[in-house]
Amino acid sequence: MKRDGHKENRKADAGAAASGSNASEPTAQAAFASYAAPLVSDAIAYANAVRDDPSPEALHKLRVSLRRLRSLWWAFAPLLEKGENTRQRALYKYLATAAGKTRDWDILIELIRHEDSGAGSVAPTLEKARGDALTTSRETLTNADVKHLLRDALTSASTDINTAHERVPLRKFANKRVAASERSLMKRAKRARHAKRSNYAAFHDVRKAGKKLRYLLEFFEPVLSGSHKRTLKRLKQVQKRFGTLNDIVASEVLLRDNAGLFAGSGDAADVLQWLHKERKRRMRSAAGLLRKL
């Protein structure tokens, strides 16, 4: 789990490869591997670490790396064969979901531990459920053979992108894809602003669109026109506030879906009541931020 120490160096290397030192402007096709290969390496390393490290942080890093891969593949979708791109993005989602099933229990346990939610006797049951989920997550990731799946996906995408005769300037391509992602975010934010307060799905769509735009800005920042620092700062605010809302909603759903584990427990009912109140409070907070987008 020491790969984070080299994150900034890898980012600088990718930016240098993308910007290029030659007089000719780099192409999106030529730059793809410099973006994708480090992300694939990270995801493989985190998947391997999950086998030995049961901590919430290991699973979180794996899920984030897979989400970043999905966003990168979305960014390069215009240069990829549609069917293959759809399958590869579905693969990243499947693997992230496998890790996420354990991560959801981690979030619920963390919320109960740090908030006055009346956890009481449910804590041991939550820990056992988390352990069972971790076993399933590990089995799924091991059986999926993440290393070969991701390397094959990278090879396939690289071959697909570089067989095209037409070449697209990277700067033009990056600006266009970021603009498309920004439009998507604004469209979803508008929809959420006019949605009923109980319509969490609209808020969740904003969170996903904001996260994708943030990843694209981080990928392409060295070659984009103009400065995007203010946008990145605002997106981090959105991600933080909407992320805390998502944690509450996901935890409430998880607890209700597993009600049988807590049959007869008054503490579980207390936790659900607390989560319900928190969801309303954080929905109001998220709605307030939406008006500033």
Side-chain angles (χ1 to χ4, degrees):
M1 300 298 292
K2 296 182 179 179
R3 301 186 63 83
D4 280 359
H6 304 290
K7 183 176 180 181
E8 293 302 321
N9 289 336
R10 290 198 309 272
K11 184 176 179 180
D13 291 342
S19 299
S21 57
N22 297 328
S24 59
E25 185 177 358
T27 66
Q29 287 85 350
F32 172 74
S34 68
Y35 293 117
L39 294 181
V40 167
S41 295
D42 281 348
I44 292 171
Y46 294 142
N48 289 337
V50 166
R51 291 202 299 264
D52 305 313
D53 183 359
S55 72
E57 188 65 16
L59 286 158
H60 175 63
K61 288 181 177 180
L62 172 59
R63 192 158 65 161
V64 169
S65 70
L66 291 164
R67 284 173 175 169
R68 288 171 63 83
L69 276 170
R70 287 194 75 214
S71 296
L72 184 69
W73 256 247
W74 180 89
F76 280 87
L79 307 182
L80 290 162
E81 192 275 319
K82 184 176 181 180
E84 182 65 14
N85 184 48
T86 300
R87 285 189 291 274
Q88 290 185 7
R89 292 188 70 232
L91 166 65
Y92 303 144
K93 183 176 182 180
Y94 167 75
L95 295 175
T97 300
K101 289 181 179 179
T102 303
R103 178 63 180 161
D104 288 343
W105 287 108
D106 287 329
I107 290 169
L108 175 56
I109 291 169
E110 194 72 10
L111 283 170
I112 289 175
R113 183 176 296 146
H114 286 88
E115 302 289 347
D116 183 17
S117 55
S121 62
V122 302
T125 304
L126 293 175
E127 291 290 351
K128 183 181 183 306
R130 195 266 182 188
D132 293 342
L134 176 60
T135 298
T136 301
S137 292
R138 283 172 164 171
E139 288 177 352
T140 301
L141 294 169
T142 299
N143 293 336
D145 194 0
V146 174
K147 178 179 178 179
H148 289 97
L149 276 177
L150 296 187
R151 285 185 174 174
D152 286 349
L154 174 59
T155 299
S156 175
S158 297
T159 300
D160 189 17
I161 283 179
N162 286 289
T163 53
H165 295 295
E166 184 180 357
R167 290 291 183 262
V168 184
L170 176 60
R171 185 182 300 275
K172 178 180 179 181
F173 178 81
N175 281 312
K176 187 174 182 179
R177 295 306 285 160
V178 166
S181 185
E182 286 179 323
R183 288 194 299 272
S184 177
L185 173 59
M186 291 302 103
K187 180 179 178 181
R188 283 158 176 75
K190 181 179 180 181
R191 184 182 302 158
R193 281 194 293 268
H194 293 89
K196 293 182 179 180
R197 192 60 58 84
S198 59
N199 185 1
Y200 171 68
F203 283 70
H204 189 51
D205 285 343
V206 173
R207 176 175 173 262
K208 291 189 295 183
K211 190 173 295 186
K212 180 190 294 180
L213 176 57
R214 178 184 171 183
Y215 291 155
L216 263 61
L217 288 174
E218 290 173 346
F219 292 149
F220 296 131
E221 186 177 18
V223 300
L224 291 173
S225 301
S227 173
H228 294 267
K229 289 182 178 179
R230 290 182 63 184
T231 301
L232 270 171
K233 183 178 179 180
R234 188 164 67 248
L235 288 172
K236 289 177 182 178
Q237 291 177 329
V238 169
Q239 190 168 337
K240 182 177 180 180
R241 194 170 300 185
F242 280 67
T244 56
L245 169 61
N246 182 70
D247 288 349
I248 292 293
V249 173
S251 294
E252 188 177 4
V253 171
L254 185 64
L255 202 54
R256 291 188 186 281
D257 287 349
N258 292 274
L261 296 176
F262 311 96
S265 172
D267 284 345
D270 290 341
V271 173
L272 277 171
Q273 184 178 20
W274 174 76
L275 287 169
H276 182 70
K277 290 180 180 179
E278 277 293 294
R279 174 162 56 87
K280 287 186 174 181
R281 183 177 72 83
R282 298 195 189 200
M283 284 283 279
R284 289 193 296 270
S285 177
L289 186 58
L290 265 180
R291 292 190 288 270
K292 298 179 182 179
L293 285 180

